[in-house]
Amino acid sequence: MQQIQTISGKNILEGNYTWISPSNIALVKYWGKHGNQMPANPSLSFSLSECFTQSTLEFTKKDKPGGLNIEVELDGVPSASFKEKILTFFNKVINDLPIITEYNFKLKTHNSFPHSSGIASSASGMSALVLCLITLEADTEGYEKGDEFYRRASYFSRIASGSACRSIYGGMVEWGRHTEIPESHDMYAIPYPFEPHPVFNTYCDTILLIHEGAKSLSSSAGHELMHRHPFARQRFEEARHNLSKLVSIIRAGDVEEFGKIVEKEAMMLHALMMCSEPPYVLMKPNTLASIDKIWQYRRETKTPVHFTLDAGANVHVLYPAAHKVEIEQFIAAELAGFCENKKYICDTVGTGPVFLG
Ligand code: PMV
């Protein structure tokens, strides 16, 4: 976990903080929630390295605390939709995070990945904002930026946008109470508490950008569908079970078994959507064509390459760095053609958020 030493004075009248925070890809999926963004099942993710949000939060102290005031710019252009999401979040946490009423804010934010890529910016965007806010809180109150700082950042990121709570840490991150994972909690994520086999510290994730444009199902609408889903109970059990199995697989470095579970999780997520009320199909023909090619390549070459999917059409191709050269050749030759404008992003497991000052 990253430690920051700087502790500033207590009464900060104005200033700014900048954080970079990563996107993350779930291996065991969070799909279904209750109460105040509490997950229906535990989930596990890789934090990414190249897909991130960089946000600068400028702040000026008000004469008297009260009200909520934030201006939001995405790549220099005012963003009404992001501002609305932030204000919704602010209203939810106004009592627990009083600092938001004490300052006027301006957020300048930039995503490293294209807006139309179908990669959700909420996890990286919300966690970057929350890290700036908690830094301001820590500096005004004079508390240390150690474990509790990150736990608090994860807690508030969860309220801002569910899986955003996993973006607070690097490497593998777990969120949600699980009897076999010590310290796991529904209210915040934790760095995966066991030593993973080194192969998982270097995993690559090449994201095939299959379809540009807005998704037909927002994740909040998707979580909502699980409230009346005929397979909800079995799904939440299955996710717990898959996470249990992954613990020994990750320790042993069994990439084949790892891939089997990760692919099953991706397929299950989409199967759940397909048999919800109403049903949704978020895969596109080229999503299936890519999956087919990955399976064929794996069968023929015995190379450990697997995939996962988000709640969208993009395909995340997962493989150990030791196979990077041949798999990147395979992707360029066989999979790039399935991507819109042949675009894909070569990412890897990342080390987590970075404070730029
Ligand atoms: O955090 P949300 O509300 O955007 O939901 C995330 C849902 C999935 O990306 C499909 C799964 C996950 O665990 O990230």
Side-chain angles (χ1 to χ4, degrees):
M1 196 180 291
Q2 191 189 5
Q3 297 284 332
I4 311 164
Q5 259 103 51
T6 344
I7 300 282
S8 334
K10 284 212 162 212
N11 187 21
I12 301 173
L13 296 179
E14 60 176 8
N16 64 76
Y17 294 120
T18 301
W19 276 90
I20 284 178
S21 191
S23 181
N24 70 75
I25 179 68
L27 305 166
V28 174
K29 309 290 180 182
Y30 149 60
W31 198 242
K33 62 179 174 182
H34 60 92
N36 191 9
Q37 300 265 82
M38 302 292 242
N41 63 262
S43 57
L44 183 72
S45 57
F46 274 146
S47 284
L48 297 178
S49 168
E50 302 306 313
C51 292
F52 59 82
T53 298
Q54 177 167 337
S55 291
T56 298
L57 185 68
E58 298 174 355
F59 46 84
T60 318
K61 193 151 190 184
K62 295 175 183 168
D63 293 337
K64 255 203 282 166
L68 297 168
N69 182 21
I70 184 160
E71 291 310 315
V72 182
E73 276 183 10
L74 176 59
D75 292 324
V77 179
S79 171
S81 61
F82 194 21
K83 176 176 168 165
E84 197 184 311
K85 284 184 191 139
I86 293 171
L87 286 173
T88 304
F89 161 58
F90 275 10
N91 276 303
K92 282 190 191 170
V93 296
I94 196 162
N95 294 327
D96 295 336
L97 196 59
I99 197 115
I100 58 177
T101 64
E102 291 167 20
Y103 288 85
N104 293 313
F105 296 107
K106 182 164 189 177
L107 183 72
K108 293 179 175 169
T109 190
H110 164 75
N111 297 325
S112 66
F113 44 90
H115 177 60
S116 58
S117 63
I119 299 173
S121 58
S122 53
S124 53
M126 284 301 186
S127 53
L129 165 67
V130 170
L131 282 161
C132 291
L133 289 168
I134 303 300
T135 304
L136 178 58
E137 182 189 66
D139 284 350
T140 53
E141 292 183 12
Y143 68 76
E144 260 189 70
K145 300 186 186 84
D147 289 0
E148 188 51 36
F149 169 87
Y150 285 97
R151 205 170 296 133
R152 211 166 151 72
S154 182
Y155 171 92
F156 285 109
S157 296
R158 180 200 101 235
I159 296 173
S161 182
S163 62
C165 72
R166 296 188 310 239
S167 286
I168 296 297
Y169 303 101
M172 271 190 195
V173 185
E174 197 274 351
W175 168 36
R177 183 76 197 116
H178 189 290
T179 48
E180 289 158 51
I181 313 242
E183 310 290 320
S184 59
H185 210 290
D186 281 352
M187 290 208 263
Y188 47 81
I190 55 167
Y192 183 68
F194 307 116
E195 190 67 47
H197 185 282
V199 70
F200 296 111
N201 299 331
T202 66
Y203 244 68
C204 301
D205 176 5
T206 300
I207 309 166
L208 309 178
L209 305 178
I210 302 285
H211 179 70
E212 295 199 37
K215 288 186 289 184
S216 54
L217 176 68
S218 71
S219 57
S220 40
H223 293 296
E224 185 59 35
L225 292 173
M226 291 306 286
H227 283 305
R228 48 180 189 283
H229 199 288
F231 301 136
R233 193 136 50 90
Q234 293 95 315
R235 160 59 196 159
F236 303 145
E237 243 344 283
E238 188 69 8
R240 272 184 208 101
H241 189 55
N242 284 339
L243 189 46
S244 292
K245 285 200 279 192
L246 277 175
V247 169
S248 51
I249 290 169
I250 289 170
R251 188 179 290 125
D254 188 339
V255 291
E256 278 309 330
E257 285 303 306
F258 171 80
K260 220 186 256 180
I261 292 178
V262 168
E263 287 192 353
K264 194 161 81 164
E265 276 286 318
M267 292 304 226
M268 200 180 297
L269 171 71
H270 283 257
L272 287 163
M273 289 188 249
M274 284 190 239
C275 59
S276 61
E277 177 66 54
Y280 287 90
V281 181
L282 298 193
M283 289 194 263
K284 297 285 176 195
N286 280 350
T287 311
L288 291 171
S290 307
I291 292 173
D292 214 35
K293 274 274 181 241
I294 292 168
W295 281 347
Q296 189 190 340
Y297 178 79
R298 192 166 76 221
R299 251 192 333 266
E300 287 170 2
T301 63
K302 310 275 182 264
T303 314
V305 54
H306 296 88
F307 71 86
T308 189
L309 306 166
D310 236 326
N314 292 341
V315 178
H316 290 245
V317 188
L318 301 172
Y319 49 96
H323 295 273
K324 196 173 156 70
V325 174
E326 68 266 29
I327 294 177
E328 281 189 352
Q329 275 167 9
F330 157 66
I331 291 170
E334 305 280 347
L335 300 179
F338 296 131
C339 305
E340 222 152 65
N341 302 313
K342 299 203 166 174
K343 276 199 230 145
Y344 55 90
I345 297 173
C346 295
D347 213 331
T348 56
V349 176
T351 51
V354 179
F355 181 54
L356 297 186

